[in-house]
Amino acid sequence: MADSKRTLIPGAGPLARVPGPAAFLLVLALFGLGVWLRGTVGAVLLGVLVLGVAALLAATWRLLTPSARVLRLLVLAVLVLVTVSVLGT
């Protein structure tokens, strides 16, 4: 049986001490508020999320497999498109 607490990408950076559920809830809150508020405020919240995702992707790029890179780039692109659409409303 696989260990459910296994680290996906081992590291000792500042995010290594952040509990997974807390990070998930923060991302969910930023995304939800950004989409709900819309306009400039919503776009700023989503922009913060885009920058965070881009920073995490840049930091882990060399450790990721090519398929994982493609998936993460796709998620980033969708998030950018949602941000632009929220700004336009």
Coordinates of all heavy atoms in Angstrom, one line a residue:
M1 N 0.8 -1.2 0.0 CA 0.0 0.0 0.0 C 0.9 1.2 0.0 O 1.9 1.3 0.7 CB -0.9 0.0 1.2 CG -1.9 1.1 1.2 SD -3.2 0.8 2.4 CE -2.9 2.1 3.5
A2 N 0.5 2.2 -0.8 CA 1.3 3.4 -1.0 C 1.1 4.4 0.2 O 0.0 4.4 0.8 CB 1.0 4.2 -2.2
D3 N 2.1 5.1 0.6 CA 2.0 6.0 1.7 C 1.3 7.3 1.3 O 1.7 7.9 0.3 CB 3.4 6.4 2.2 CG 3.4 7.3 3.4 OD1 2.3 7.4 4.1 OD2 4.4 7.9 3.7
S4 N 0.2 7.6 1.9 CA -0.6 8.7 1.4 C 0.0 10.1 1.8 O -0.4 11.1 1.3 CB -2.0 8.7 2.0 OG -2.0 8.8 3.5
K5 N 1.0 10.1 2.7 CA 1.7 11.3 3.0 C 3.0 11.5 2.2 O 3.8 12.3 2.6 CB 2.1 11.2 4.5 CG 0.9 11.3 5.4 CD 0.4 12.7 5.5 CE -0.7 12.8 6.6 NZ -1.3 14.1 6.7
R6 N 3.2 10.7 1.2 CA 4.4 10.8 0.4 C 4.5 12.2 -0.2 O 3.6 12.7 -0.7 CB 4.4 9.7 -0.7 CG 5.6 9.7 -1.6 CD 5.5 8.6 -2.6 NE 4.4 8.8 -3.5 CZ 4.4 9.4 -4.6 NH1 5.6 10.0 -5.0 NH2 3.4 9.5 -5.4
T7 N 5.7 12.7 -0.2 CA 6.0 14.0 -0.8 C 6.1 13.8 -2.3 O 6.9 13.0 -2.8 CB 7.3 14.7 -0.2 OG1 7.1 14.7 1.2 CG2 7.5 16.0 -0.8
L8 N 5.3 14.6 -3.1 CA 5.4 14.5 -4.5 C 6.7 15.0 -5.1 O 7.4 14.3 -5.9 CB 4.3 15.3 -5.2 CG 2.9 14.8 -4.9 CD1 1.8 15.7 -5.5 CD2 2.7 13.4 -5.4
I9 N 7.2 16.1 -4.7 CA 8.5 16.6 -5.0 C 9.2 17.1 -3.7 O 8.8 18.1 -3.1 CB 8.4 17.8 -6.0 CG1 7.8 17.4 -7.3 CG2 9.8 18.4 -6.3 CD1 7.5 18.5 -8.3
P10 N 10.1 16.3 -3.3 CA 10.8 16.6 -2.0 C 11.5 17.9 -2.0 O 12.0 18.4 -3.0 CB 11.8 15.5 -1.8 CG 12.0 14.9 -3.1 CD 10.8 15.2 -3.9
G11 N 11.4 18.6 -0.9 CA 12.1 19.9 -0.8 C 12.1 20.4 0.6 O 11.4 19.9 1.5
A12 N 12.9 21.4 0.9 CA 12.9 22.0 2.2 C 12.7 23.5 2.1 O 13.1 24.3 3.0 CB 14.3 21.8 2.8
G13 N 11.9 23.9 1.1 CA 11.6 25.4 0.9 C 10.6 25.8 1.9 O 10.1 25.1 2.7
P14 N 10.2 27.1 1.8 CA 9.2 27.7 2.7 C 7.8 27.0 2.6 O 7.1 26.9 3.6 CB 9.1 29.1 2.3 CG 9.7 29.2 0.9 CD 10.7 28.1 0.8
L15 N 7.5 26.5 1.5 CA 6.2 25.8 1.3 C 6.1 24.4 1.9 O 5.1 23.8 2.0 CB 5.7 25.8 -0.1 CG 5.3 27.2 -0.7 CD1 4.9 27.1 -2.1 CD2 4.2 27.8 0.1
A16 N 7.3 23.8 2.2 CA 7.4 22.5 2.7 C 6.7 22.4 4.1 O 6.2 21.3 4.5 CB 8.8 22.0 2.8
R17 N 6.6 23.5 4.8 CA 6.0 23.5 6.1 C 4.5 23.9 6.1 O 3.8 23.8 7.1 CB 6.7 24.5 7.0 CG 8.1 24.0 7.3 CD 8.9 25.0 8.2 NE 9.0 26.4 7.6 CZ 10.0 26.8 6.9 NH1 11.0 25.9 6.6 NH2 10.0 28.0 6.4
V18 N 4.0 24.2 4.9 CA 2.6 24.6 4.8 C 1.7 23.3 4.6 O 2.0 22.5 3.7 CB 2.3 25.5 3.6 CG1 0.9 25.8 3.4 CG2 3.1 26.8 3.7
P19 N 0.7 23.1 5.4 CA -0.1 21.9 5.3 C -0.9 22.0 4.0 O -1.3 23.0 3.5 CB -1.1 22.0 6.5 CG -0.6 23.0 7.4 CD 0.4 23.9 6.6
G20 N -1.0 20.8 3.3 CA -1.6 20.7 2.0 C -3.1 21.3 2.0 O -3.4 22.1 1.1
P21 N -3.9 20.9 3.0 CA -5.3 21.4 3.0 C -5.3 23.0 3.2 O -6.2 23.6 2.6 CB -5.9 20.8 4.3 CG -5.1 19.5 4.5 CD -3.7 19.9 4.0
A22 N -4.4 23.6 3.9 CA -4.4 25.0 4.0 C -4.1 25.7 2.7 O -4.7 26.7 2.3 CB -3.4 25.5 5.1
A23 N -3.1 25.1 1.9 CA -2.7 25.7 0.6 C -3.9 25.5 -0.3 O -4.2 26.4 -1.1 CB -1.5 25.0 0.1
F24 N -4.6 24.4 -0.3 CA -5.7 24.1 -1.1 C -6.9 25.1 -0.9 O -7.5 25.7 -1.8 CB -6.2 22.7 -1.0 CG -7.5 22.4 -1.7 CD1 -7.5 22.2 -3.1 CD2 -8.7 22.4 -1.1 CE1 -8.6 21.9 -3.8 CE2 -9.9 22.1 -1.8 CZ -9.8 21.9 -3.1
L25 N -7.1 25.3 0.4 CA -8.2 26.3 0.8 C -7.9 27.7 0.4 O -8.8 28.5 0.0 CB -8.5 26.2 2.3 CG -9.2 24.9 2.7 CD1 -9.3 24.8 4.3 CD2 -10.6 24.8 2.1
L26 N -6.6 28.1 0.5 CA -6.2 29.4 0.1 C -6.4 29.6 -1.4 O -6.9 30.6 -1.9 CB -4.7 29.7 0.5 CG -4.2 31.0 0.0 CD1 -4.9 32.2 0.7 CD2 -2.7 31.1 0.3
V27 N -6.0 28.6 -2.2 CA -6.1 28.7 -3.7 C -7.6 28.7 -4.0 O -8.1 29.5 -4.9 CB -5.4 27.5 -4.3 CG1 -5.8 27.4 -5.8 CG2 -3.9 27.7 -4.2
L28 N -8.4 27.9 -3.4 CA -9.8 27.8 -3.6 C -10.5 29.2 -3.3 O -11.4 29.7 -4.0 CB -10.5 26.7 -2.8 CG -11.9 26.4 -3.1 CD1 -12.1 25.9 -4.5 CD2 -12.4 25.4 -2.1
A29 N -10.1 29.8 -2.2 CA -10.7 31.1 -1.8 C -10.3 32.2 -2.7 O -11.1 33.0 -3.1 CB -10.2 31.4 -0.3
L30 N -9.0 32.2 -3.1 CA -8.6 33.2 -4.1 C -9.4 33.1 -5.4 O -9.8 34.1 -6.0 CB -7.1 33.2 -4.4 CG -6.2 33.8 -3.4 CD1 -4.7 33.6 -3.7 CD2 -6.4 35.3 -3.4
F31 N -9.5 31.9 -5.9 CA -10.1 31.6 -7.2 C -11.6 32.0 -7.1 O -12.2 32.7 -7.9 CB -10.0 30.2 -7.6 CG -10.6 29.9 -9.0 CD1 -9.9 30.2 -10.1 CD2 -11.8 29.3 -9.1 CE1 -10.5 30.0 -11.4 CE2 -12.4 29.1 -10.3 CZ -11.7 29.4 -11.5
G32 N -12.3 31.5 -6.0 CA -13.7 31.7 -5.8 C -14.0 33.2 -5.7 O -15.0 33.7 -6.3
L33 N -13.3 33.9 -4.9 CA -13.5 35.3 -4.7 C -13.2 36.1 -6.0 O -14.0 37.0 -6.4 CB -12.6 35.9 -3.6 CG -13.1 35.7 -2.2 CD1 -12.0 36.2 -1.2 CD2 -14.4 36.5 -2.0
G34 N -12.2 35.7 -6.7 CA -11.8 36.4 -8.0 C -12.9 36.2 -9.0 O -13.3 37.2 -9.7
V35 N -13.5 35.1 -9.1 CA -14.6 34.8 -10.1 C -15.9 35.5 -9.6 O -16.6 36.0 -10.4 CB -14.8 33.3 -10.3 CG1 -16.0 33.0 -11.1 CG2 -13.5 32.7 -11.0
W36 N -16.1 35.4 -8.3 CA -17.4 36.0 -7.8 C -17.4 37.5 -7.9 O -18.4 38.2 -8.2 CB -17.6 35.5 -6.4 CG -18.8 36.0 -5.7 CD1 -20.1 35.7 -6.1 CD2 -19.0 36.8 -4.6 NE1 -21.0 36.3 -5.3 CE2 -20.3 37.0 -4.3 CE3 -18.0 37.4 -3.7 CZ2 -20.8 37.7 -3.3 CZ3 -18.5 38.1 -2.6 CH2 -19.9 38.3 -2.4
L37 N -16.3 38.2 -7.5 CA -16.2 39.6 -7.5 C -16.1 40.2 -8.9 O -16.6 41.3 -9.1 CB -15.0 40.1 -6.6 CG -15.1 39.8 -5.1 CD1 -13.8 40.2 -4.4 CD2 -16.3 40.6 -4.5
R38 N -15.5 39.6 -9.8 CA -15.3 40.0 -11.1 C -14.6 41.4 -11.2 O -14.2 41.9 -10.2 CB -16.6 40.0 -11.9 CG -17.2 38.6 -12.0 CD -18.2 38.6 -13.1 NE -18.6 37.3 -13.6 CZ -17.9 36.5 -14.4 NH1 -16.7 37.0 -14.8 NH2 -18.3 35.3 -14.7
G39 N -14.5 42.0 -12.4 CA -14.0 43.3 -12.5 C -12.5 43.3 -12.2 O -11.8 42.3 -12.2
T40 N -12.0 44.5 -11.8 CA -10.6 44.7 -11.5 C -10.2 44.0 -10.3 O -9.1 43.4 -10.2 CB -10.4 46.3 -11.4 OG1 -10.8 46.9 -12.5 CG2 -8.9 46.5 -11.1
V41 N -11.0 44.1 -9.2 CA -10.7 43.4 -8.0 C -10.6 41.9 -8.2 O -9.6 41.3 -7.7 CB -11.7 43.7 -6.9 CG1 -11.4 42.9 -5.6 CG2 -11.8 45.2 -6.6
G42 N -11.5 41.3 -8.9 CA -11.4 39.9 -9.2 C -10.2 39.5 -10.0 O -9.6 38.5 -9.7
A43 N -9.9 40.3 -11.0 CA -8.7 40.1 -11.8 C -7.4 40.2 -11.0 O -6.5 39.4 -11.3 CB -8.7 41.0 -13.0
V44 N -7.4 41.1 -10.1 CA -6.2 41.2 -9.2 C -6.0 40.0 -8.4 O -4.9 39.4 -8.2 CB -6.3 42.5 -8.4 CG1 -5.2 42.5 -7.3 CG2 -6.1 43.7 -9.2
L45 N -7.1 39.5 -7.8 CA -7.0 38.3 -7.0 C -6.6 37.1 -7.8 O -5.7 36.3 -7.4 CB -8.4 38.0 -6.3 CG -8.8 38.9 -5.2 CD1 -10.2 38.6 -4.8 CD2 -7.9 38.9 -4.0
L46 N -7.2 37.0 -9.0 CA -6.8 35.9 -9.9 C -5.3 36.1 -10.4 O -4.6 35.1 -10.6 CB -7.7 35.7 -11.1 CG -9.1 35.2 -10.7 CD1 -10.1 35.4 -11.8 CD2 -9.1 33.8 -10.2
G47 N -4.9 37.3 -10.6 CA -3.6 37.6 -11.0 C -2.5 37.2 -9.9 O -1.5 36.7 -10.3
V48 N -2.9 37.4 -8.7 CA -2.0 36.9 -7.6 C -1.9 35.4 -7.7 O -0.8 34.8 -7.5 CB -2.6 37.3 -6.2 CG1 -1.9 36.6 -5.1 CG2 -2.5 38.8 -6.0
L49 N -3.0 34.7 -8.0 CA -3.0 33.2 -8.1 C -2.2 32.8 -9.3 O -1.4 31.9 -9.3 CB -4.4 32.7 -8.3 CG -4.7 31.3 -8.1 CD1 -4.1 30.8 -6.7 CD2 -6.1 30.9 -8.2
V50 N -2.3 33.5 -10.4 CA -1.5 33.3 -11.6 C 0.0 33.4 -11.3 O 0.8 32.5 -11.7 CB -1.9 34.2 -12.8 CG1 -0.8 34.2 -13.9 CG2 -3.2 33.8 -13.4
L51 N 0.4 34.5 -10.6 CA 1.8 34.7 -10.3 C 2.3 33.6 -9.4 O 3.4 33.1 -9.5 CB 2.0 36.0 -9.6 CG 1.8 37.2 -10.5 CD1 1.9 38.5 -9.7 CD2 2.8 37.2 -11.7
G52 N 1.5 33.1 -8.4 CA 1.9 32.1 -7.5 C 2.1 30.7 -8.2 O 3.1 30.0 -8.0
V53 N 1.1 30.4 -9.1 CA 1.3 29.2 -9.9 C 2.5 29.2 -10.8 O 3.2 28.3 -10.9 CB 0.0 28.9 -10.7 CG1 0.1 27.8 -11.7 CG2 -1.2 28.6 -9.8
A54 N 2.7 30.4 -11.5 CA 3.9 30.5 -12.3 C 5.2 30.4 -11.5 O 6.1 29.8 -12.0 CB 3.8 31.9 -13.1
A55 N 5.2 31.0 -10.3 CA 6.4 30.9 -9.5 C 6.7 29.4 -9.1 O 7.8 29.0 -9.2 CB 6.3 31.8 -8.3
L56 N 5.6 28.7 -8.7 CA 5.8 27.3 -8.3 C 6.2 26.5 -9.5 O 7.1 25.6 -9.4 CB 4.5 26.8 -7.8 CG 4.2 27.2 -6.4 CD1 2.8 26.7 -6.0 CD2 5.2 26.7 -5.4
L57 N 5.7 26.8 -10.7 CA 6.1 26.0 -11.9 C 7.5 26.3 -12.3 O 8.3 25.4 -12.6 CB 5.1 26.4 -13.1 CG 5.4 25.8 -14.4 CD1 5.3 24.2 -14.3 CD2 4.5 26.3 -15.5
A58 N 7.9 27.5 -12.2 CA 9.3 27.9 -12.5 C 10.3 27.2 -11.5 O 11.4 26.7 -11.9 CB 9.5 29.4 -12.4
A59 N 9.9 27.2 -10.2 CA 10.8 26.6 -9.2 C 10.9 25.0 -9.3 O 11.9 24.5 -8.9 CB 10.2 26.9 -7.8
T60 N 9.9 24.4 -9.8 CA 9.9 22.9 -9.9 C 10.1 22.4 -11.3 O 10.1 21.2 -11.5 CB 8.5 22.4 -9.4 OG1 7.5 22.9 -10.1 CG2 8.4 22.7 -7.9
W61 N 10.3 23.3 -12.3 CA 10.3 22.9 -13.7 C 11.3 21.8 -14.0 O 11.0 20.8 -14.6 CB 10.7 24.1 -14.5 CG 10.7 23.9 -16.0 CD1 11.7 23.6 -16.8 CD2 9.5 23.9 -16.9 NE1 11.3 23.4 -18.1 CE2 9.9 23.6 -18.2 CE3 8.2 24.1 -16.6 CZ2 9.1 23.5 -19.2 CZ3 7.3 24.1 -17.7 CH2 7.7 23.8 -19.0
R62 N 12.5 21.9 -13.5 CA 13.5 20.9 -13.8 C 13.3 19.5 -13.1 O 13.8 18.5 -13.6 CB 14.9 21.3 -13.5 CG 15.2 21.7 -12.0 CD 16.6 22.3 -11.8 NE 16.8 22.6 -10.4 CZ 17.1 21.8 -9.5 NH1 17.4 20.5 -9.8 NH2 17.3 22.2 -8.3
L63 N 12.4 19.5 -12.1 CA 12.1 18.2 -11.5 C 10.9 17.5 -12.1 O 10.6 16.4 -11.7 CB 11.8 18.5 -10.0 CG 12.9 19.2 -9.2 CD1 12.4 19.5 -7.8 CD2 14.1 18.3 -9.1
L64 N 10.2 18.2 -12.9 CA 9.0 17.6 -13.5 C 9.2 16.8 -14.8 O 10.2 17.2 -15.5 CB 8.0 18.8 -13.9 CG 7.5 19.6 -12.7 CD1 6.7 20.8 -13.2 CD2 6.7 18.8 -11.7
T65 N 8.4 15.8 -15.0 CA 8.5 15.1 -16.3 C 7.9 15.9 -17.4 O 7.1 16.9 -17.1 CB 7.7 13.8 -16.1 OG1 6.3 14.1 -15.9 CG2 8.3 12.9 -15.0
P66 N 8.2 15.7 -18.6 CA 7.6 16.4 -19.7 C 6.0 16.4 -19.7 O 5.4 17.5 -19.9 CB 8.1 15.8 -21.0 CG 9.4 15.2 -20.5 CD 9.2 14.7 -19.1
S67 N 5.4 15.3 -19.4 CA 4.0 15.3 -19.3 C 3.4 16.1 -18.2 O 2.4 16.8 -18.3 CB 3.4 13.9 -19.2 OG 3.9 13.2 -18.0
A68 N 4.1 16.1 -17.0 CA 3.7 17.0 -15.9 C 3.9 18.5 -16.2 O 3.0 19.3 -15.8 CB 4.5 16.6 -14.7
R69 N 4.9 18.8 -17.0 CA 5.1 20.2 -17.4 C 3.9 20.6 -18.3 O 3.4 21.7 -18.1 CB 6.4 20.3 -18.2 CG 7.6 20.2 -17.3 CD 8.9 20.2 -18.2 NE 10.0 20.0 -17.3 CZ 11.3 19.9 -17.8 NH1 11.5 19.9 -19.1 NH2 12.3 19.7 -17.0
V70 N 3.6 19.8 -19.3 CA 2.5 20.1 -20.2 C 1.2 20.4 -19.4 O 0.4 21.3 -19.6 CB 2.3 19.1 -21.3 CG1 1.0 19.3 -22.0 CG2 3.5 19.0 -22.2
L71 N 0.9 19.5 -18.5 CA -0.3 19.6 -17.7 C -0.3 20.9 -16.8 O -1.3 21.6 -16.8 CB -0.5 18.4 -16.7 CG -1.8 18.4 -15.9 CD1 -3.0 18.3 -16.8 CD2 -1.7 17.2 -15.0
R72 N 0.8 21.2 -16.2 CA 0.8 22.4 -15.4 C 0.8 23.7 -16.3 O 0.2 24.7 -15.9 CB 2.1 22.4 -14.6 CG 1.9 21.5 -13.4 CD 3.2 21.2 -12.7 NE 3.1 20.4 -11.5 CZ 2.9 19.1 -11.4 NH1 2.7 18.4 -12.5 NH2 2.7 18.5 -10.3
L73 N 1.4 23.7 -17.5 CA 1.3 24.8 -18.4 C -0.2 25.0 -18.8 O -0.7 26.1 -19.0 CB 2.2 24.6 -19.6 CG 3.7 24.9 -19.4 CD1 4.5 24.5 -20.6 CD2 3.9 26.3 -19.0
L74 N -0.9 23.9 -19.1 CA -2.3 23.9 -19.4 C -3.1 24.6 -18.3 O -4.0 25.4 -18.6 CB -2.8 22.5 -19.8 CG -4.3 22.4 -20.2 CD1 -4.5 23.2 -21.5 CD2 -4.6 21.0 -20.4
V75 N -2.9 24.2 -17.1 CA -3.6 24.8 -15.9 C -3.3 26.3 -15.9 O -4.2 27.1 -15.6 CB -3.2 24.0 -14.6 CG1 -3.7 24.8 -13.4 CG2 -3.7 22.6 -14.6
L76 N -2.1 26.6 -16.0 CA -1.7 28.1 -16.0 C -2.4 28.8 -17.1 O -2.9 29.9 -16.9 CB -0.2 28.2 -16.1 CG 0.4 29.6 -16.0 CD1 0.0 30.2 -14.6 CD2 1.9 29.6 -16.2
A77 N -2.4 28.3 -18.3 CA -3.1 28.9 -19.4 C -4.6 29.1 -19.2 O -5.1 30.2 -19.4 CB -2.8 28.1 -20.7
V78 N -5.2 28.1 -18.6 CA -6.7 28.2 -18.3 C -6.9 29.3 -17.3 O -7.8 30.1 -17.4 CB -7.2 26.9 -17.9 CG1 -8.6 27.0 -17.3 CG2 -7.2 25.9 -19.0
L79 N -6.0 29.3 -16.3 CA -6.1 30.3 -15.2 C -5.9 31.8 -15.8 O -6.7 32.7 -15.4 CB -5.1 30.1 -14.1 CG -5.2 30.9 -12.9 CD1 -6.6 30.9 -12.2 CD2 -4.2 30.5 -11.8
V80 N -5.0 31.9 -16.7 CA -4.8 33.2 -17.4 C -6.1 33.6 -18.2 O -6.5 34.8 -18.1 CB -3.5 33.2 -18.2 CG1 -3.5 34.4 -19.1 CG2 -2.3 33.1 -17.4
L81 N -6.6 32.7 -18.9 CA -7.8 32.9 -19.7 C -9.0 33.3 -18.7 O -9.8 34.2 -19.1 CB -8.2 31.7 -20.5 CG -7.3 31.4 -21.7 CD1 -7.7 30.1 -22.4 CD2 -7.4 32.6 -22.7
V82 N -9.2 32.7 -17.6 CA -10.2 33.0 -16.7 C -10.0 34.4 -16.1 O -10.9 35.2 -16.0 CB -10.3 32.0 -15.5 CG1 -11.2 32.5 -14.4 CG2 -10.8 30.6 -16.0
T83 N -8.7 34.7 -15.8 CA -8.4 36.1 -15.3 C -8.8 37.2 -16.3 O -9.4 38.2 -16.0 CB -6.9 36.2 -15.0 OG1 -6.6 35.1 -14.0 CG2 -6.5 37.5 -14.4
V84 N -8.4 36.9 -17.6 CA -8.7 37.9 -18.7 C -10.2 38.0 -18.8 O -10.8 39.1 -19.0 CB -8.0 37.5 -20.0 CG1 -8.5 38.3 -21.1 CG2 -6.5 37.6 -19.9
S85 N -11.0 36.9 -18.8 CA -12.4 37.0 -18.9 C -13.1 37.7 -17.8 O -14.1 38.4 -18.0 CB -13.0 35.6 -19.1 OG -13.0 34.9 -17.9
V86 N -12.5 37.5 -16.6 CA -13.1 38.2 -15.4 C -12.8 39.7 -15.5 O -13.7 40.6 -15.1 CB -12.5 37.7 -14.1 CG1 -12.7 38.6 -12.9 CG2 -13.1 36.3 -13.8
L87 N -11.7 40.1 -16.0 CA -11.3 41.5 -16.2 C -12.3 42.2 -17.2 O -12.6 43.4 -17.1 CB -9.9 41.7 -16.6 CG -9.3 43.1 -16.7 CD1 -9.5 43.8 -15.4 CD2 -7.9 43.1 -17.2
G88 N -12.7 41.4 -18.2 CA -13.5 42.0 -19.3 C -15.0 42.2 -18.9 O -15.7 42.8 -19.6
T89 N -15.4 41.7 -17.7 CA -16.8 41.9 -17.3 C -17.0 43.0 -16.3 O -16.1 43.4 -15.6 CB -17.3 40.6 -16.7 OG1 -16.5 40.2 -15.6 CG2 -17.4 39.5 -17.8

